[in-house]
Amino acid sequence: MRFILAFAVSLFVALICTDQLKKTPTVFYSLSIAAVAVYVYGISQGPAVGFWGFFIPFMQRCTLAMAFFTIVMFVGVFDENSLVRKKLLPVRRQLSICGCLLCLAHVFYYAKTYLVQLESSPQLHFSGTSGNLILSLTISVILVLLLAILGITSCTFVKAKMKASSWKNIQRLSYAFFTLIIVHLGIILVPPALSGNTPAIESVVVWGLVFALYAVLKIKREIKLHRATDMA
């Protein structure tokens, strides 16, 4: 349910606000930062009930950010002449930056969580819960670093100072980023899903379908491009 709403919001921004994203992207960046600020305020208000009961998990679990990233991912697998690609490719960078900024809520919360666990378990070792914690923490740190690199280099003033080839090479890190997201989600969601946790099962199904569809479309596009190259 949360992902459907998040995807609807991100799709509305991408399709209906395309011109605004091109002309005044800072407005959307500011709104993304504002949403994170509202989240930080919300978690300081005690038990999450009512509006906060919905909004806090919506931001904390990176649902809205991942919805933006989903659009960014899929834009790249549509054919060059498709209406979707022509419509969304010009604002792909802006959507990506919005997603990066919205991720700050997730990073803020879980950075605190990891610090608490590390403080309570100073002698971690690669076994049992401690091993899982270290693996999860390592992947999380790499993801945050990739997120920062991709987000910063997506900014116009940074891109303008870089060579086109260097910028493209850095942006290829997005494949590593999304691959690690799959691993990260697997570590977090699969164990509770196997234990029968309904929300975890639903999340595994949703993200499994999203990434499987992306993989199919990506492979289909690569095969088509390879054939076109062979025929040229």
Side-chain angles (χ1 to χ4, degrees):
M1 176 60 185
R2 286 193 183 95
F3 180 75
I4 293 174
L5 177 58
F7 190 73
V9 171
S10 58
L11 200 59
F12 174 86
V13 172
L15 295 176
I16 306 301
C17 304
T18 307
D19 291 339
Q20 289 79 4
L21 275 167
K22 293 177 185 176
K23 296 175 182 177
T24 56
T26 52
V27 172
F28 296 89
Y29 304 157
S30 299
L31 289 173
S32 299
I33 294 172
V36 175
V38 171
Y39 161 78
V40 173
Y41 171 78
I43 61 176
S44 69
Q45 298 305 297
V49 295
F51 166 77
W52 297 118
F54 180 85
F55 181 75
I56 288 177
F58 192 69
M59 294 292 293
Q60 189 168 288
R61 296 174 185 173
C62 229
T63 309
L64 186 56
M66 283 301 298
F68 275 95
F69 286 144
T70 298
I71 295 176
V72 172
M73 285 170 53
F74 276 87
V75 169
V77 297
F78 283 100
D79 291 335
E80 300 292 339
N81 297 321
S82 70
L83 294 177
V84 174
R85 187 180 179 91
K86 289 181 178 179
K87 176 75 172 178
L88 297 181
L89 191 61
V91 295
R92 193 183 189 190
R93 176 180 60 83
Q94 293 89 328
L95 295 172
S96 178
I97 293 175
C98 285
C100 290
L101 292 172
L102 289 166
C103 274
L104 293 177
H106 183 78
V107 174
F108 174 80
Y109 175 80
Y110 284 100
K112 290 176 60 179
T113 302
Y114 281 129
L115 286 174
V116 170
Q117 293 186 61
L118 288 171
E119 288 176 359
S120 62
S121 305
Q123 295 180 337
L124 293 175
H125 50 86
F126 285 91
S127 63
T129 304
S130 297
N132 290 335
L133 174 61
I134 292 178
L135 178 59
S136 180
L137 177 59
T138 302
I139 293 174
S140 297
V141 170
I142 296 173
L143 281 172
V144 171
L145 291 174
L146 289 174
L147 182 72
I149 293 170
L150 292 170
I152 291 171
T153 55
S154 292
C155 295
T156 305
F157 68 92
V158 175
K159 181 180 178 182
K161 295 181 179 181
M162 299 178 63
K163 293 182 180 179
S165 58
S166 298
W167 185 84
K168 288 182 179 179
N169 287 333
I170 289 176
Q171 290 302 305
R172 289 194 179 98
L173 291 173
S174 60
Y175 293 111
F177 178 71
F178 289 121
T179 299
L180 283 176
I181 284 179
I182 296 174
V183 177
H184 184 60
L185 288 171
I187 293 173
I188 294 172
L189 296 174
V190 171
L194 293 175
S195 299
N197 183 285
T198 301
I201 294 173
E202 292 174 353
S203 295
V204 168
V205 171
V206 169
W207 291 118
L209 289 173
V210 168
F211 288 118
L213 179 60
Y214 173 79
V216 170
L217 292 176
K218 180 66 175 177
I219 293 171
K220 181 180 177 182
R221 175 175 169 78
E222 291 300 321
I223 292 174
K224 184 175 181 179
L225 290 174
H226 182 71
R227 288 176 177 173
T229 302
D230 289 342
M231 293 175 63

